[in-house]
């Protein structure tokens, strides 16, 4: 014999598990949206990093150009001075200065060339990063939209599921409902079938007393291992 509350309890459990499923799906939505937003942020950060790199390299290049300009002024001054001196040792000293300055200018010009190469590379990276975002942004935005649409439809479904759940609680009698709620607060599913003499919730053997209670269906039997309600599956 089946316990009189069993059928309504099974319906209640079915509605309850539907509600729980929807709640779990709904709970996952913000994380799904955040994951897409994180991808967008990562792609934007790559653009920013490349832009900053270009700027920094260009600043360095300007500094070197200034240094080259100053060194060239110095060189011109030495050359003018050299053309005016009469004494040999002064001429030679200035010649030495000229040589040193020319060498320094050579080093700076090499550095400038290196920087120009690096600027080109950084500009390529910038364009590449911009391309990646440009290519992906429509997809990212579509994904966020679809997550949000899913959220809206899940919210509507959940409202319906909650109404169905409330309706399913009504035919269940008060004591059975109390037992159900107490178990539901701890674990799902609340009601499980006894197969052989095993609880299909925890897969352990129930005592012969529980088995006989479930079989008779006179009272609501609970598994003596996991505490779920067990019903005898004929
Ligand atoms: Zn059990």
């Amino acid at each position: 014999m089946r316990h009189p509350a069993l059928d309504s309890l099974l319906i209640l459990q079915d509605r309850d598990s539907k509600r729980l499923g929807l709640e779990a799906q709904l709970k996952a939505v913000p994380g799904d949206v955040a994951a897409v937003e994180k991808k967008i942020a990562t792609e934007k950060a790559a653009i920013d990093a490349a832009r900053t790199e270009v700027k920094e390299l260009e600043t360095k290049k300007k500094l070197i150009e200034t240094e080259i300009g100053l060194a060239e002024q110095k060189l011109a001054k030495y050359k003018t001075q050299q053309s005016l001196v009469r004494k040999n040792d002064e001429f030679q000293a200035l010649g030495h200065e000229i040589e040193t300055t020319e060498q320094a200018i050579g080093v700076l010009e090499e550095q400038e060339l290196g920087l120009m190469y690096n600027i080109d590379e950084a500009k390529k990276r910038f364009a590449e990063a911009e391309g990646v975002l440009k290519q992906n942004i429509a997809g990212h935005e579509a994904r966020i939209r679809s997550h949000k649409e899913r959220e809206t439809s899940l919210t509507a479904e959940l409202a319906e599921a909650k109404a169905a759940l409330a309706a399913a609680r009504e035919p269940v009698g008060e004591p059975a409902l109390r037992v159900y709620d107490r178990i539901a607060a701890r674990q799902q599913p609340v009601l499980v079938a006894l197969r052989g003499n095993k609880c299909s919730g925890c897969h352990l053997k129930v005592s012969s007393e529980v088995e006989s209670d479930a079989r008779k269906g006179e009272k609501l039997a609970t598994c003596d291992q996991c505490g779920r309600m067990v019903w005898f599956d004929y």
Side-chain angles (χ1 to χ4, degrees):
M1 205 192 107
R2 286 161 85 91
H3 187 277
L6 182 64
D7 288 330
S8 51
L9 276 169
L10 285 170
I11 293 172
L12 169 61
Q13 166 158 284
D14 177 66
R15 303 290 184 274
D16 211 6
S17 80
K18 186 155 190 223
R19 172 194 58 105
L20 287 167
L22 287 168
E23 278 176 350
Q25 287 182 62
L26 206 48
K27 209 175 148 193
V29 174
D32 293 341
V33 172
V36 181
E37 280 169 347
K38 197 178 162 200
K39 266 195 183 152
I40 297 174
T42 306
E43 289 174 9
K44 281 189 176 162
I47 297 174
D48 286 344
R51 184 190 288 124
T52 306
E53 202 189 356
V54 171
K55 269 191 195 159
E56 282 173 359
L57 289 168
E58 278 174 343
T59 305
K60 274 189 195 164
K61 186 172 160 262
K62 271 197 193 114
L63 282 175
I64 291 204
E65 280 167 355
T66 308
E67 273 190 73
I68 292 174
L70 289 172
E72 275 168 349
Q73 281 174 22
K74 214 157 73 173
L75 186 65
K77 197 183 79 189
Y78 289 147
K79 283 185 174 166
T80 312
Q81 282 177 349
Q82 199 187 37
S83 71
L84 297 173
V85 295
R86 297 282 172 265
K87 286 183 186 162
N88 198 33
D89 57 340
E90 281 179 10
F91 187 88
Q92 274 180 354
L94 282 164
H96 179 70
E97 293 292 350
I98 287 167
E99 204 180 308
T100 310
T101 310
E102 278 172 345
Q103 273 169 5
I105 289 171
V107 170
L108 288 168
E109 280 173 346
E110 244 171 66
Q111 286 176 357
E112 190 188 15
L113 273 178
L115 279 169
M116 281 157 78
Y117 175 78
N118 290 342
I119 287 169
D120 276 350
E121 293 298 302
K123 278 183 176 168
K124 273 184 212 159
R125 277 194 290 280
F126 175 72
E128 228 170 83
E130 256 194 341
V132 167
L133 181 66
K134 215 172 160 188
Q135 202 183 348
N136 295 345
I137 194 72
H140 291 328
E141 282 168 353
R143 228 159 290 137
I144 289 177
R145 260 198 315 279
S146 95
H147 288 320
K148 297 245 161 105
E149 280 163 15
R150 194 160 53 93
E151 189 172 41
T152 307
S153 71
L154 282 170
T155 304
E157 274 184 70
L158 180 60
E160 277 174 34
K162 280 182 173 171
L165 176 63
R169 289 175 70 85
E170 301 218 344
V172 185
E174 191 51 48
L177 206 52
R178 253 205 321 275
V179 179
Y180 180 92
D181 286 338
R182 182 168 47 78
I183 301 170
R186 278 200 322 269
Q187 57 193 357
Q188 291 289 338
V190 175
L191 283 104
V192 293
L194 271 185
R195 302 235 159 80
N197 49 8
K198 276 185 188 164
C199 160
S200 55
C202 66
H203 308 289
L204 294 171
K205 242 171 99 169
V206 296
S207 65
S208 52
E209 196 194 334
V210 170
E211 207 247 356
S212 130
D213 281 348
R215 188 189 291 271
K216 283 186 206 145
E218 283 164 7
K219 50 183 171 180
L220 289 165
T222 52
C223 168
D224 30 23
Q225 309 294 338
C226 70
R228 290 181 170 94
M229 276 192 241
V230 287
W231 56 282
F232 198 81
D233 195 6
Y234 289 93

